[in-house]
Amino acid sequence: MSEKLSADSRCEQTGDEKQDTQEKETVIPERAEEAKLKAKYPNLGQKPGGSDFLMKRLQKGQKYFDSGDYNMAKAKMKNKQLPTTGPDNNLVTGDHIPTPQDLPPRKSSLVTSKLAG
Amino acid sequence: MAGVAGGGGGGGGNDFQWCFSQVKGAIDEDVAEADIISTVEFNYSGDLLATGDKGGRVVIFQREQENKSRPHSRGEYNVYSTFQSHEPEFDYLKSLEIEEKINKIRWLPQQNAAHFLLSTNDKTIKLWKISERDKRAEGYNLKDEDGRLRDPFRITALRVPILKPMDLMVEASPRRIFANAHTYHINSISVNSDHETYLSADDLRINLWHLEITDRSFNIVDIKPANMEELTEVITASEFHPHHCNVFVYSSSKGTIRLCDMRSSALCDRHSKFFEEPEDPSSRSFFSEIISSISDVKFSHSGRYMMTRDYLSVKVWDLNMENRPVETYQVHEYLRSKLCSLYENDCIFDKFECCWNGSDSAIMTGSYNNFFRMFDRNTRRDITLEASRESSKPRAILKPRKVCTGGKRKKDEISVDSLDFNKKILHTAWHPTENIIAVAATNNLYIFQDKIN
């Protein structure tokens, strides 16, 4: 009788331990992913999620073109090439002065939708 | 197959089988950005189905009357009207490009022969009237049949113009333009149950409009902080209660929902109810807040529940219980171990929508790889289906799909690493009374129906 009881209680303990490991394992995927991200981008903001990406969201659609800057730069560098954009055309930073060619063309879709075809 | 659970809108998961009905759109591999469908919505009767796309166009499909000679067709949806709703704009003052993409379409309840809908892009909401013309007047006095003006001195007799039948023409005309009320990007519009007002919500503010008045709107929610650097959350979706015209909800990027009562004060910055599920602090990570952001909120038809969609799950909330949802359904939990790459390719910011069936017994939402998921709230069963050209033979029964999360991949299963994250189903709609669903897969619109016995 007592043997049976102790056998049962041993099973319960193993059960609990197993559950603990399982819980830890379910927490790990997200943390492992976070570690991967921090390894790739060590300068990633300290605040999780946070206002960085919120501000980016609020500024969607912002395109900067200052004709004064553009013309002055053109005059100053008439013998040299103007710096061109890198792979990300939407991000305007630092010394890069956007040219009309950099801004993606705006044309409205006067073509009928293919869903109606 | 076992009988369909009940009449209109009953059942959802495995009670019966879904069949392919129709697919709209081009087959070509190169998808033009403008053709990407950005919203799908049935009208109140389900006879009309509207889609909006990134090119600012609206296409409305109408269900054909059931035809005795073609018993299988059971009401196909065919093109009824199409028009350019919004055009791209450039705000020179703010150096802001305004996309023509239609963010939302909402139908008004039908009050006469014409149909009305609201369509919105990031900045401007428009009320469109869609009306039919099947008669034409002939025999005018002052102009002839070509429309040229007749010389009044040559007219010797008067005649009464006669109405003659003509081929059906469906015309869409903009009746109201509600502009200049949003500094930030509009994410939601919702028609009130009073049928006179509607709300529009952007990232930081919600405005109340009267359908007849375009030069004024009331601001009812404003969460913009005095100092923008203190910004911690934005409004992600908003909807009016289906029966109580004074009640609306709005969801946030932090995973919370606020219910507001317009009778309590003019400015509803203070909520009446605050819904938030407590978080387990030990499981918090960099991604926690991002994946908790609610991308859609929808009241049940009964008005007793509401459903929210965040990145990995769908939750059903009882309006009487604020501290946790009553039901949680995992959409694609296997993505939890892919969050790093989903953050890098921006997929973690994808905004999935969700919808109820007519009887509120089932819910549906989209996923990746052109998969979409349905959950039956009564049986707790769920099913994963795919919108693909391969299973698009007429009345072909859709086969359930399964994603293999690790270890041995069984035949017919697809592994997580093989999922195509460019094939996202963000927009789905369920007919208000019948088991007919519309699923937008990038530039194609799929219509599925339950099997007819």
Side-chain angles (χ1 to χ4, degrees), chain B residues 13 33 55 69 115 122 128 227 236 268 298 339 373 428 443 448:
Chain B
E33 178 113 357
S69 62
H115 298 277
D122 282 341
W128 287 88
N227 180 359
T236 52
C268 298
K298 292 260 169 55
L339 293 177
R373 304 263 284 137
T428 60
N443 62 328
F448 302 108

Side-chain angles (χ1 to χ4, degrees), chain A residues 30 33 61-62 106 109 111, chain B residues 84 88 94 97 336-337 340:
Chain A
E30 224 172 290
E33 292 296 300
Q62 207 87 47
R106 298 299 311 156
S109 16
V111 181
Chain B
Q84 184 79 35
K94 297 179 193 166
E97 192 174 69
R336 202 177 284 270
S337 53
C340 178

Side-chain angles (χ1 to χ4, degrees), chain B residues 53-270:
Chain B
D53 65 22
K54 276 196 169 185
R57 301 163 299 191
V58 171
V59 182
I60 302 174
F61 302 92
Q62 184 187 47
R63 193 173 182 195
E64 298 298 334
Q65 293 301 318
E66 284 183 38
N67 200 333
K68 289 288 192 285
S69 62
R70 290 181 60 214
H72 325 293
S73 83
R74 201 174 171 247
E76 277 188 348
Y77 284 85
N78 295 320
V79 180
Y80 179 65
S81 172
T82 179
F83 55 93
Q84 184 79 35
S85 172
H86 288 71
E87 303 263 359
E89 288 172 60
F90 195 87
D91 181 339
Y92 293 97
L93 192 63
K94 297 179 193 166
S95 278
L96 196 68
E97 192 174 69
I98 301 168
E99 279 184 355
E100 66 275 37
K101 168 165 89 81
I102 309 294
N103 293 334
K104 286 282 172 357
I105 287 173
R106 289 287 182 265
W107 290 92
L108 265 59
Q110 193 175 8
Q111 287 170 332
N112 52 40
H115 298 277
F116 289 86
L117 62 77
L118 287 170
S119 70
T120 188
N121 70 348
D122 282 341
K123 296 287 180 181
T124 305
I125 307 127
K126 296 188 184 181
L127 176 69
W128 287 88
K129 176 180 179 182
I130 298 106
S131 47
E132 292 183 4
R133 193 201 287 253
D134 61 357
K135 287 185 270 287
R136 184 182 69 217
E138 267 179 23
Y140 285 101
N141 289 292
L142 295 176
K143 54 181 179 177
D144 61 24
E145 298 314 315
D146 297 338
R148 282 178 305 186
L149 293 172
R150 290 166 79 193
D151 182 357
F153 294 105
R154 307 286 263 330
I155 299 170
T156 52
L158 280 179
R159 56 188 180 174
V160 177
I162 307 165
L163 288 177
K164 287 225 171 113
M166 61 180 256
D167 288 339
L168 178 68
M169 207 165 75
V170 182
E171 300 170 319
S173 58
R175 306 303 286 180
R176 305 270 186 279
I177 297 181
F178 305 91
N180 302 319
H182 287 278
T183 306
Y184 302 98
H185 300 104
I186 298 174
N187 52 56
S188 313
I189 47 174
S190 177
V191 182
N192 204 348
S193 53
D194 65 8
H195 303 165
E196 286 186 352
T197 57
Y198 75 94
L199 64 76
S200 58
D202 68 30
D203 292 319
L204 298 177
R205 298 191 179 102
I206 302 178
N207 294 331
L208 180 71
W209 302 83
H210 191 286
L211 284 163
E212 300 287 328
I213 299 166
T214 58
D215 62 356
R216 233 173 311 157
S217 86
F218 288 104
N219 175 244
I220 51 178
V221 172
D222 188 335
I223 65 166
K224 184 177 177 188
N227 180 359
M228 281 299 268
E229 296 196 353
E230 289 163 26
L231 181 72
T232 54
E233 66 183 327
V234 294
I235 296 168
T236 52
S238 183
E239 193 175 65
F240 264 121
H241 190 279
H243 313 306
H244 304 304
C245 58
N246 53 302
V247 173
F248 67 94
V249 292
Y250 69 91
S251 58
S252 84
S253 52
K254 277 187 158 176
T256 64
I257 310 101
R258 288 170 178 82
L259 184 142
C260 302
D261 185 337
M262 294 194 292
R263 290 178 308 192
S264 59
S265 71
L267 190 60
C268 298
D269 280 357
R270 258 193 310 223

